[in-house]
Every structure is written in C-alpha cells, then in structure tokens.
Amino acid sequence: MKTLSPKILLAALLAGSLASTACAQETKSAVPLHLPTAPGPFQPTMDSLTNYSYPEWFRDAKFGIWAHWGPQAVPMDGDWYARGMYEPGNKHYTYHTNHYGHPSEFGYKDIIPLWKAEKWDPDRLMQLYKNAGAKYFVSMGTHHDNFFLWNSKLHKWNAANMGPKRDVVGEWQQAAQKYGLKFGVSEHLGASFTWFQSSHRADKTGPKAGVPYDGANSNYWDLYHFPAEPGDTGWYSNNPKWQQQWYTEIRELVDNYHPDLLYSDGGVPFGNQVGLSMIAHLYNSDIQNRTRKSFDPLSRKGAELLCDINLKPNLAPQVIYNCKQKSEGRWVEDLERGIMPKIDPYPWQTDTSIGDWFYDRNWKFRPVSWVIHMLVDNVSKNGNLLLNIVQRPDGSLDPEVETMLQQLATWNAIHGEAIFGTRPWLVYGESGVKVKGGSFNEDFKYTAKEIRFTTKGATLYAIALGWPEDGQLVVRSLASPAGEDVNHITKVSLLGYKGEIHWKQTADGLVVTLPPQRVSEFTAALKITGTRLRNVPLTTAAAPALTAKPNGDLELGADDAELHGDGIKTEDHGGQSNIGFWDNGNEWASWKVRFPQAGVFKVSASIASISGASEFVVEVGGQQVSGKADQTAGWDQFKEVGLGQVQIKQAGEQVVKIRPKDAAHWHAMNLRFVKLTKAE
C-alpha cells in the first residue's frame, strides 16, 4: 500500500474526505452516486466487512435505552402518525380531522411547531436510565417523517431550527457521555421517501374529495419529498436521487456526532452499494477518529499507521452498526419486538418498547417483569436488549414509567452481576416454551421452570424466570448422572441472599431449597462454582414428579408437561397457557406424577379444536383411554372432554402420556390440561 506524506494526510483529514486517496477506494456505480468513505481497512463489500470484530463494550453492555421520540408524539395517538393522518380509514386520520382539521389545511408540517419538549430534561432522564442499568443510550436521529433531531446544515426541518429549537441528538449525547453511557443514534430515513407518499394524495370521497393534501404542494417537498416514480413503493426507494440524499444526510449525522452505534430501521439500506458504503465509512471513520486522538498525524509514524491500520488489531473499530438483516459477523443483527430461539454465534439485539413506539394515550405499559424476562432471555442467547422508554410530547415520563425504572434499578442492583459482562454458557437454558424466534414475536408466559444460563469467568449463573411456589428450584442440566465425570459443584449461593442455602445433586438435577422470603417476585438467580460443569441432556434428567391434591385429584397443565418433539410448544390463549398449535402427529406430551394412593380415576382433557377431528390417547399405569376433540369456536375456546376411567393399582410414581391416536390422520388442536379426578 502506498504511504502518504504526513502533510497530505493531514490536509485530507481536515477536509473530511479521503475517498480519493491511496488509502481509500471510491465506490464505482452505474448510477451517478457519490459515496465517499473514510480511508481504512473496510471496503463497501460483503467480503471486506467479514473482517469486522465485535467491540467488547457492546458484548458487555447487554442493556440499552432508546428515546423513540419526536413530533409524532404530539397527538399522543401512537406510531406512524405522520403517514396515517393522510390515510382515510386510519385511526390517525380520524383523530387528526377531529382535532386539527383536514390534512389539506392542517398537515404534518403544522404538527411540528406544536412539539415544544418543554419538560425535557436529558440530564435527569439519563441519570434514571443509568440507575436502571442501561449501559448505552440511543437517540432517534430521524423517523420516517423526515424530521431531523440533530442540528443539520443540509435540512431545515430539524429540531434545532423548529419545534423545541434544541439539538436533541447533541443534548442526549452530552448527557450520555456525562453519565458514562455509550451513545447511539437511530435513523429511519431510508423508508421515508416511499413511506411519506400518502401526503401527496387526496380524499376519494366526502366533502373534501379531490382536494390535495398539503404534501402535494411543491413548496413543502423538502419535508414530504417529491412524488415517487410509478412502481417505486418498496421499503427502500429505487430512486438514485433519494439514495444519494440518504447517504449525504446520514453521513452528516455520523461525521458530526461520531456515535458509538448507528441503527437503520430495515436491512442494509438500498442494497449493497449505498448501504455498505455507509457501513464501511462508519467503521473506518471510527478508527480514524480514535487514531487521530492517539497519534500525531504530522509524524511519519502517524501517517503510516492511518494507512496501515488493518494490521493493527488494537485499532479495530469500536462502533456498532445495527440493522434488521442477518449479519454473519459484519454488523449487529436487530430483531424488532422479537427473540432468538437459541444462542446465536454473533452478538445481536432486540429492539422493543414498553408501549407503542410513540406515545399513545390508549396503550398500557409493559410490567417490569416482562422487561426483566426479555433481558435475561436475550443475554442467555448472546443478545442485547434495546428498550424504548416512551416519552410524553413534552419530554417527561408518566409516573408508572418512572416506577418501572426504579423497579428495574432495584432488580439490577441484586442481579446485575449475572447479566452485565457475561457470556452465554453451553446452552441458553431449560425451557418448555419453544419458539421459532424472529421479529414481532415477544409475548411468552414464562414461569419459574424456565431457566436461563450466563457465565462470567469460572462462574455459572442459573436464573429462573420466576420464584418457585414450592420454594424448590431444580436445575436439570446440572444433574450428577451415574458413571459420568461431570458437574462437580463446590458452591451454590442465591443472589440477593446473604445466608447459606441448602442444595444437593441427584440424577434428576441440582436441587436447591430457596429461603422462605423471596428475593424477587420476578426471578431466582443462582451463582454456581465448580469444575467440569457440563449441561446434561434433559432427556436424562427428568423433572420431579407432580403430586396429587389432598383429595387425590390431578390437573396436569401445559406448563408442567415434558414436550417431545421439535415443534410442539406452549403458548398463551385466553390468558392461560396451553400446548398448541399442536399439528404434528409424531409429537407428544407427558407428565411424571405421584399417586399417594391407589384408586379409580376419571380422565378428561381441555381441548380447543377448529376441526373437531383430533383423536388422541391418554396412557397411564399400563392402561389407555381415547377421545375425540369437540369442535370449538376458536383456538382460545376450550372445552373439557371426558375420556373414561383408569385404575391405579398402587401408590407411587407413574407417567401420564397424551399422544395422537393416528399420526397420519392427526388434526391440529390446543391442549390446556389433562385431568385425573378421583372417582367416588
């Protein structure tokens, strides 16, 4: 590689662009795009970006807080207001016309001045977020409304110039840095060009039929964009003019604020050429900025270093690029309102919200238990949680939100050592809740039988997603099976409890007796040390037997079942857990139960079935009874079906099994429970 003279290098640095130097490679394109990137080891290609390595700060951080906040919060009517207000039939259109008038007369441009942020105190909020456990903070830079929250010299529709007349991104960044949090920015601009086209239309019916909305006025196209070409309707526009605009404006954001994280709301924007150029620029400019702080660019050593930094592993980029596309190690994949089904080899992130994305007066906020369980589950699978804390239009938080943050701070003060700075174990945990994973799939009914693992050095943490009602926590993965030289546990303690706890290892698992006073309503976290800690496959470490009620009756619920198969899982319908959508005739469920006495039992099952054609068998004590599900009105409409009687000849443990009668002709059903009732 050609070595630049120190003077040439310094001049290029001051100019802010080295794309034409020997250190950089200017992007070539069939369309007239100008995509300069900072010099460095990364080129705008998928192959080049595979050289990226994840910074330790992000892997250690685990938890970030996001301010998904801007002018669209003003009506307090929820997400996508700026688009929905131009769509007759949309709830936002109805609200807008009732409260502000018709969008031909009062458009989104007129909402913007109403956003004053008069109670916004970024310093106070950042202190709350830090106390709650956040290690990084992300400010919205711009949403699909094309309104910038930074002090832009390229776009007059920005918060420093209008609305609050404050550099929102800059003030958030200053507060984050004051409290030691890494700082990120989210950009949703890529979708705005096609997203905002509804503003150019008009009502098709009614008294204003044919009257254009204000977005059709070319005087405001710097906000609403010019009309899209026919067929240009995708999430990302195929128009090179808009692609160039996106690159230039987001580069201004990156170059002026140097965020530690840049989030794009979608996949890599506009395909490989444009989006990959931005990623390469982000990575290279981060290296360049840190190099500038560490070395004198006027010296030959500094010049050579800048041109040969790909040979300096200590100068790997410390910045995160985050988008909703599989990374294979090139960036951090983001799942919107979703989870991973298992440990991912590459660090990833969930972005979600305690409510709607923008303030909505009709949404109920998520409880702190939901936040904690999402965080623990993500961390066990090599992921982070980025949580939107919904702000009112004036920048303040509702009292229940502040209460939730205080609860989270209390939980993290005790359990943070099992979260922050940890890494995944050999398996993420023990779970009866089986999910395919992916975006928009985040609501699961977790119980104390859900256990998640994390590690830090030689320490293993086992975190139950609840406090066991019987005060006993069984970690089946840490069993001590006969004949196997594994799991030599030397110490077990409970986070948040100063006393000694009783524990033992059996062939069924590590059995821990918890103190009578609960440390937390949400979790029970064990700190475990030992040697040769290995996960024992759960097929060799059965769950403890369920015991009948004093009257002899047994209700075997979905959450207590052992599920046999890759697809069968528990889910929630009607506020209660059930096994469903059970559509594979080769899969089955079982329970290990303890009968305190012999006797005759009536067998029934609570079923929901749209087809009413599911035939199944319940086996217990060497006997079986069969039945057919009645057709129900929906998947959340359960009906109890009687199956007959079985005779338990002696007290003791038995396995109760439910399976399809004929796998080849099995029809999907949901199962809430199997019940064995002592016959009179």
Coordinates of all heavy atoms in Angstrom, one line a residue, residues 555-622:
E555 N -54.5 -32.2 38.2 CA -54.7 -31.4 36.9 C -53.3 -31.2 36.3 O -52.5 -30.4 36.9 CB -55.4 -30.1 37.2 CG -55.7 -29.3 35.9 CD -56.6 -28.1 36.1 OE1 -57.7 -28.3 36.7 OE2 -56.1 -27.0 35.8
L556 N -53.0 -31.7 35.2 CA -51.7 -31.7 34.6 C -51.7 -30.6 33.5 O -52.2 -30.8 32.4 CB -51.4 -33.0 34.0 CG -51.6 -34.2 34.9 CD1 -51.3 -35.6 34.2 CD2 -50.7 -34.1 36.1
G557 N -51.1 -29.4 33.9 CA -51.2 -28.3 33.0 C -50.1 -28.3 31.9 O -49.1 -29.0 32.0
A558 N -50.3 -27.4 31.0 CA -49.3 -27.3 29.9 C -47.9 -26.9 30.3 O -46.9 -27.4 29.8 CB -49.9 -26.3 28.8
D559 N -47.8 -26.0 31.3 CA -46.5 -25.6 31.8 C -45.7 -26.6 32.5 O -44.5 -26.6 32.6 CB -46.7 -24.4 32.7 CG -47.1 -23.1 31.9 OD1 -46.8 -23.0 30.7 OD2 -47.8 -22.2 32.6
D560 N -46.4 -27.7 33.0 CA -45.8 -28.8 33.7 C -45.4 -29.9 32.8 O -44.8 -30.9 33.2 CB -46.7 -29.3 34.8 CG -47.0 -28.2 35.9 OD1 -46.0 -27.5 36.2 OD2 -48.1 -28.1 36.3
A561 N -45.8 -29.9 31.5 CA -45.6 -31.0 30.6 C -44.1 -31.1 30.1 O -43.5 -30.1 29.9 CB -46.5 -30.9 29.5
E562 N -43.7 -32.3 29.9 CA -42.5 -32.6 29.1 C -42.9 -32.7 27.7 O -43.8 -33.6 27.4 CB -41.8 -33.9 29.6 CG -41.2 -33.8 31.0 CD -40.0 -32.9 31.0 OE1 -39.3 -32.9 30.0 OE2 -39.7 -32.3 32.1
L563 N -42.4 -31.9 26.8 CA -42.8 -31.9 25.4 C -41.8 -32.7 24.6 O -40.6 -32.4 24.7 CB -42.9 -30.4 24.9 CG -43.9 -29.6 25.8 CD1 -43.9 -28.2 25.3 CD2 -45.3 -30.2 25.8
H564 N -42.3 -33.5 23.8 CA -41.4 -34.4 23.0 C -41.6 -34.1 21.5 O -42.6 -34.5 20.9 CB -41.8 -35.9 23.3 CG -41.7 -36.2 24.8 ND1 -40.6 -36.7 25.4 CD2 -42.7 -36.1 25.7 CE1 -40.9 -36.9 26.7 NE2 -42.1 -36.5 26.9
G565 N -40.6 -33.5 20.9 CA -40.6 -33.1 19.5 C -40.1 -31.7 19.3 O -40.0 -30.9 20.3
D566 N -39.7 -31.4 18.1 CA -39.1 -30.1 17.8 C -40.2 -29.0 17.6 O -39.9 -27.8 17.8 CB -38.3 -30.1 16.5 CG -37.1 -31.0 16.7 OD1 -36.6 -31.1 17.8 OD2 -36.6 -31.6 15.7
G567 N -41.4 -29.3 17.3 CA -42.4 -28.3 17.0 C -43.4 -28.1 18.1 O -43.9 -27.0 18.3
I568 N -43.7 -29.1 18.9 CA -44.7 -28.9 20.0 C -44.2 -27.9 21.0 O -43.0 -27.9 21.4 CB -45.0 -30.3 20.6 CG1 -46.2 -30.2 21.6 CG2 -43.8 -30.9 21.3 CD1 -46.7 -31.5 22.1
K569 N -45.1 -27.0 21.5 CA -44.6 -25.9 22.3 C -45.8 -25.4 23.2 O -47.0 -25.7 22.9 CB -44.1 -24.8 21.5 CG -45.1 -24.1 20.6 CD -44.5 -23.1 19.7 CE -45.5 -22.4 18.8 NZ -46.1 -23.3 17.8
T570 N -45.5 -24.6 24.2 CA -46.6 -24.0 24.9 C -46.7 -22.5 24.4 O -45.8 -21.9 23.8 CB -46.2 -23.9 26.4 OG1 -45.0 -23.2 26.6 CG2 -46.1 -25.3 27.0
E571 N -48.0 -22.0 24.5 CA -48.3 -20.7 24.1 C -49.4 -20.2 25.0 O -49.8 -20.9 26.0 CB -48.7 -20.6 22.7 CG -49.9 -21.4 22.3 CD -50.3 -21.4 20.9 OE1 -49.5 -21.0 20.1 OE2 -51.4 -21.8 20.5
D572 N -49.8 -19.0 24.8 CA -50.9 -18.4 25.7 C -52.1 -18.1 24.8 O -52.1 -17.5 23.8 CB -50.4 -17.1 26.3 CG -51.4 -16.5 27.3 OD1 -52.3 -15.8 26.9 OD2 -51.3 -16.9 28.5
H573 N -53.3 -18.6 25.3 CA -54.6 -18.3 24.7 C -55.6 -18.0 25.9 O -55.7 -18.8 26.8 CB -55.1 -19.4 23.9 CG -54.7 -19.3 22.4 ND1 -55.0 -18.2 21.6 CD2 -54.0 -20.1 21.6 CE1 -54.6 -18.4 20.4 NE2 -53.9 -19.5 20.4
G574 N -56.3 -16.9 25.7 CA -57.3 -16.6 26.7 C -56.7 -16.4 28.1 O -57.4 -16.6 29.1
G575 N -55.4 -15.9 28.2 CA -54.8 -15.6 29.5 C -54.3 -16.8 30.2 O -53.8 -16.7 31.3
Q576 N -54.4 -18.0 29.6 CA -53.9 -19.3 30.2 C -53.0 -20.0 29.2 O -53.2 -19.9 28.0 CB -55.0 -20.2 30.6 CG -55.8 -19.6 31.8 CD -56.9 -20.6 32.3 OE1 -57.9 -20.7 31.7 NE2 -56.5 -21.4 33.3
S577 N -52.0 -20.7 29.8 CA -51.1 -21.5 29.0 C -51.7 -22.7 28.4 O -52.6 -23.3 29.0 CB -49.8 -21.8 29.8 OG -48.9 -22.5 29.0
N578 N -51.3 -23.1 27.2 CA -51.8 -24.3 26.6 C -50.7 -24.9 25.7 O -49.7 -24.2 25.3 CB -53.1 -24.1 25.8 CG -52.9 -23.2 24.6 OD1 -53.1 -22.0 24.7 ND2 -52.6 -23.8 23.5
I579 N -50.8 -26.1 25.3 CA -49.9 -26.7 24.3 C -50.6 -26.5 23.0 O -51.7 -27.0 22.7 CB -49.7 -28.2 24.6 CG1 -49.0 -28.4 25.9 CG2 -48.8 -28.9 23.5 CD1 -48.9 -29.9 26.4
G580 N -49.9 -25.8 22.1 CA -50.5 -25.5 20.8 C -49.6 -24.7 20.0 O -48.6 -24.1 20.5
F581 N -49.8 -24.5 18.8 CA -50.6 -25.2 17.8 C -50.0 -26.6 17.5 O -49.0 -26.7 16.8 CB -50.6 -24.3 16.6 CG -51.4 -24.7 15.4 CD1 -52.7 -24.7 15.4 CD2 -50.7 -25.2 14.3 CE1 -53.4 -25.1 14.2 CE2 -51.4 -25.6 13.1 CZ -52.8 -25.5 13.1
W582 N -50.6 -27.6 18.1 CA -50.1 -29.0 18.1 C -50.5 -29.6 16.8 O -51.6 -30.1 16.7 CB -50.5 -29.7 19.3 CG -50.0 -31.1 19.5 CD1 -49.2 -31.8 18.7 CD2 -50.3 -32.0 20.6 NE1 -48.9 -33.0 19.2 CE2 -49.6 -33.2 20.3 CE3 -51.1 -31.9 21.7 CZ2 -49.7 -34.3 21.2 CZ3 -51.2 -33.0 22.5 CH2 -50.5 -34.2 22.3
D583 N -49.7 -29.6 15.8 CA -50.1 -30.0 14.5 C -49.3 -31.2 13.9 O -49.4 -31.6 12.8 CB -50.1 -28.9 13.5 CG -48.7 -28.3 13.3 OD1 -47.8 -28.7 14.1 OD2 -48.5 -27.5 12.4
N584 N -48.4 -31.7 14.7 CA -47.5 -32.8 14.3 C -47.9 -34.1 15.0 O -47.8 -34.2 16.2 CB -46.0 -32.5 14.6 CG -45.1 -33.5 13.9 OD1 -45.4 -34.7 13.8 ND2 -43.9 -33.1 13.5
G585 N -48.4 -35.1 14.2 CA -48.9 -36.3 14.8 C -47.8 -37.2 15.4 O -48.2 -38.2 16.1
N586 N -46.6 -36.9 15.2 CA -45.5 -37.7 15.8 C -44.9 -37.1 17.1 O -44.0 -37.6 17.6 CB -44.4 -37.8 14.8 CG -44.8 -38.6 13.5 OD1 -45.3 -39.7 13.6 ND2 -44.6 -38.0 12.3
E587 N -45.6 -36.1 17.6 CA -45.1 -35.4 18.8 C -46.1 -35.7 19.9 O -47.3 -35.9 19.7 CB -44.9 -33.9 18.6 CG -43.8 -33.7 17.5 CD -43.5 -32.2 17.2 OE1 -44.4 -31.4 17.5 OE2 -42.4 -31.9 16.7
W588 N -45.6 -35.6 21.2 CA -46.5 -35.9 22.3 C -46.0 -35.2 23.5 O -44.9 -34.6 23.6 CB -46.5 -37.4 22.5 CG -45.2 -38.1 22.5 CD1 -44.3 -38.4 21.5 CD2 -44.5 -38.6 23.7 NE1 -43.2 -39.0 21.9 CE2 -43.2 -39.2 23.3 CE3 -44.8 -38.6 25.0 CZ2 -42.3 -39.7 24.1 CZ3 -43.9 -39.2 25.9 CH2 -42.7 -39.8 25.5
A589 N -46.8 -35.3 24.6 CA -46.5 -34.7 25.9 C -46.7 -35.7 27.0 O -47.4 -36.7 26.9 CB -47.4 -33.5 26.1
S590 N -46.0 -35.5 28.1 CA -46.1 -36.4 29.2 C -45.8 -35.6 30.5 O -45.3 -34.5 30.6 CB -45.0 -37.5 29.1 OG -43.7 -37.0 29.2
W591 N -46.3 -36.2 31.6 CA -46.1 -35.7 33.0 C -45.7 -36.9 33.9 O -46.2 -38.0 33.7 CB -47.4 -35.1 33.6 CG -47.9 -34.0 32.8 CD1 -47.8 -32.6 33.1 CD2 -48.8 -34.0 31.7 NE1 -48.5 -31.8 32.3 CE2 -49.1 -32.6 31.3 CE3 -49.3 -35.0 30.9 CZ2 -49.9 -32.3 30.3 CZ3 -50.1 -34.7 29.8 CH2 -50.4 -33.3 29.5
K592 N -44.7 -36.7 34.8 CA -44.4 -37.7 35.8 C -45.2 -37.2 37.0 O -45.0 -36.1 37.5 CB -42.9 -37.7 36.1 CG -42.6 -38.9 37.0 CD -41.1 -39.1 37.1 CE -40.3 -38.0 37.6 NZ -38.8 -38.4 37.8
V593 N -46.1 -38.1 37.6 CA -46.9 -37.8 38.7 C -46.8 -38.8 39.8 O -46.3 -40.0 39.6 CB -48.4 -37.7 38.2 CG1 -48.6 -36.7 37.1 CG2 -48.9 -39.1 37.8
R594 N -47.1 -38.4 41.0 CA -47.0 -39.3 42.2 C -48.4 -39.4 42.7 O -49.0 -38.5 43.2 CB -46.1 -38.7 43.2 CG -45.9 -39.5 44.5 CD -45.0 -38.9 45.5 NE -43.6 -38.9 44.9 CZ -43.0 -37.8 44.6 NH1 -43.7 -36.6 44.6 NH2 -41.8 -37.7 44.1
F595 N -48.9 -40.7 42.7 CA -50.2 -41.0 43.2 C -50.0 -41.4 44.7 O -49.3 -42.4 45.0 CB -50.9 -42.1 42.5 CG -51.3 -41.7 41.1 CD1 -50.5 -41.9 40.0 CD2 -52.6 -41.2 40.9 CE1 -50.9 -41.6 38.7 CE2 -53.0 -40.8 39.6 CZ -52.2 -41.0 38.5
P596 N -50.6 -40.7 45.6 CA -50.4 -41.1 47.1 C -51.2 -42.3 47.5 O -50.9 -42.9 48.5 CB -51.0 -39.9 47.8 CG -51.9 -39.2 46.9 CD -51.4 -39.5 45.5
Q597 N -52.1 -42.7 46.6 CA -52.9 -43.9 46.9 C -53.5 -44.5 45.7 O -53.6 -43.8 44.7 CB -54.0 -43.6 47.9 CG -55.0 -42.6 47.5 CD -56.0 -42.2 48.5 OE1 -56.0 -42.7 49.6 NE2 -56.9 -41.2 48.2
A598 N -53.8 -45.8 45.7 CA -54.4 -46.5 44.6 C -55.9 -46.0 44.5 O -56.5 -45.4 45.4 CB -54.4 -48.0 44.8
G599 N -56.5 -46.3 43.3 CA -57.9 -45.9 43.1 C -58.3 -45.8 41.7 O -57.5 -46.0 40.7
V600 N -59.5 -45.5 41.4 CA -60.1 -45.3 40.1 C -60.2 -43.8 39.8 O -60.7 -43.1 40.7 CB -61.5 -46.0 40.0 CG1 -62.0 -45.8 38.6 CG2 -61.3 -47.5 40.2
F601 N -59.7 -43.4 38.6 CA -59.7 -42.0 38.3 C -60.5 -41.8 36.9 O -60.3 -42.6 36.0 CB -58.3 -41.5 38.1 CG -57.6 -41.4 39.4 CD1 -57.0 -42.6 40.0 CD2 -57.5 -40.2 40.1 CE1 -56.3 -42.5 41.2 CE2 -56.8 -40.2 41.3 CZ -56.2 -41.3 41.8
K602 N -61.3 -40.8 36.9 CA -61.9 -40.3 35.6 C -60.9 -39.4 34.9 O -60.3 -38.6 35.5 CB -63.2 -39.6 35.9 CG -64.3 -40.5 36.5 CD -65.6 -39.7 36.7 CE -65.5 -38.7 37.8 NZ -66.8 -38.1 38.1
V603 N -60.8 -39.6 33.6 CA -59.8 -38.9 32.8 C -60.5 -37.9 31.9 O -61.5 -38.3 31.2 CB -58.9 -39.8 32.0 CG1 -57.8 -39.0 31.2 CG2 -58.2 -40.9 32.9
S604 N -60.1 -36.7 31.8 CA -60.6 -35.7 30.9 C -59.5 -34.8 30.4 O -58.4 -34.8 30.9 CB -61.7 -34.9 31.6 OG -61.2 -34.1 32.7
A605 N -59.8 -34.0 29.3 CA -58.8 -33.1 28.8 C -59.5 -31.9 28.3 O -60.6 -31.9 27.8 CB -58.1 -33.8 27.6
S606 N -58.9 -30.7 28.4 CA -59.4 -29.4 28.0 C -58.8 -29.1 26.6 O -57.6 -28.9 26.5 CB -59.0 -28.3 29.0 OG -59.5 -27.1 28.5
I607 N -59.6 -29.1 25.6 CA -59.2 -29.0 24.2 C -59.8 -27.9 23.5 O -61.0 -27.5 23.7 CB -59.6 -30.3 23.5 CG1 -59.0 -31.6 24.2 CG2 -59.1 -30.3 22.0 CD1 -57.5 -31.7 24.1
A608 N -59.1 -27.2 22.6 CA -59.6 -26.3 21.6 C -59.3 -26.9 20.2 O -58.1 -27.2 20.0 CB -59.1 -24.9 21.8
S609 N -60.2 -27.0 19.3 CA -60.0 -27.6 18.0 C -61.0 -27.0 17.0 O -62.2 -27.0 17.2 CB -60.2 -29.1 18.1 OG -60.1 -29.6 16.8
I610 N -60.4 -26.4 16.0 CA -61.3 -25.8 14.9 C -61.9 -26.9 14.1 O -63.1 -26.8 13.7 CB -60.4 -24.9 14.0 CG1 -59.9 -23.7 14.8 CG2 -61.3 -24.4 12.8 CD1 -61.0 -22.8 15.3
S611 N -61.2 -28.0 13.9 CA -61.7 -29.1 13.0 C -62.6 -30.0 13.8 O -63.5 -30.6 13.2 CB -60.5 -29.9 12.4 OG -59.8 -30.6 13.4
G612 N -62.3 -30.2 15.0 CA -63.1 -31.2 15.8 C -62.8 -32.6 15.4 O -63.6 -33.5 15.6
A613 N -61.7 -32.8 14.8 CA -61.3 -34.2 14.2 C -60.1 -34.8 14.9 O -59.6 -35.8 14.5 CB -61.1 -34.1 12.7
S614 N -59.6 -34.2 16.0 CA -58.4 -34.7 16.6 C -58.8 -35.8 17.5 O -59.5 -35.7 18.5 CB -57.8 -33.5 17.4 OG -57.5 -32.4 16.7
E615 N -58.2 -37.0 17.2 CA -58.4 -38.2 18.1 C -57.1 -38.5 18.8 O -56.0 -38.5 18.2 CB -58.8 -39.4 17.2 CG -60.1 -39.2 16.6 CD -60.6 -40.5 15.9 OE1 -60.9 -41.5 16.6 OE2 -60.6 -40.5 14.6
F616 N -57.2 -38.6 20.1 CA -56.0 -38.8 20.9 C -56.1 -39.8 22.0 O -57.3 -40.3 22.3 CB -55.6 -37.4 21.6 CG -56.7 -36.8 22.3 CD1 -56.9 -37.1 23.7 CD2 -57.7 -36.0 21.7 CE1 -57.9 -36.5 24.4 CE2 -58.7 -35.4 22.4 CZ -58.9 -35.7 23.8
V617 N -55.0 -40.2 22.6 CA -55.0 -41.3 23.6 C -54.2 -40.7 24.8 O -53.2 -40.1 24.7 CB -54.2 -42.5 23.0 CG1 -54.0 -43.6 24.1 CG2 -55.0 -43.1 21.9
V618 N -54.8 -41.1 26.0 CA -54.1 -40.8 27.2 C -53.7 -42.1 27.9 O -54.5 -43.0 28.0 CB -55.0 -40.0 28.2 CG1 -54.3 -39.9 29.6 CG2 -55.2 -38.6 27.7
E619 N -52.4 -42.3 28.2 CA -51.9 -43.6 28.7 C -51.4 -43.3 30.2 O -50.7 -42.3 30.4 CB -50.7 -44.1 27.9 CG -51.1 -44.4 26.4 CD -49.9 -44.8 25.6 OE1 -48.8 -44.7 26.1 OE2 -50.1 -45.2 24.5
V620 N -51.7 -44.2 31.1 CA -51.3 -44.2 32.4 C -51.4 -45.5 33.1 O -52.4 -46.2 32.9 CB -52.0 -43.1 33.3 CG1 -53.5 -43.4 33.3 CG2 -51.5 -43.0 34.7
G621 N -50.4 -45.9 33.8 CA -50.5 -47.2 34.5 C -50.7 -48.4 33.7 O -51.4 -49.4 34.1
G622 N -50.2 -48.4 32.5 CA -50.3 -49.5 31.6 C -51.7 -49.6 30.9 O -52.1 -50.6 30.2

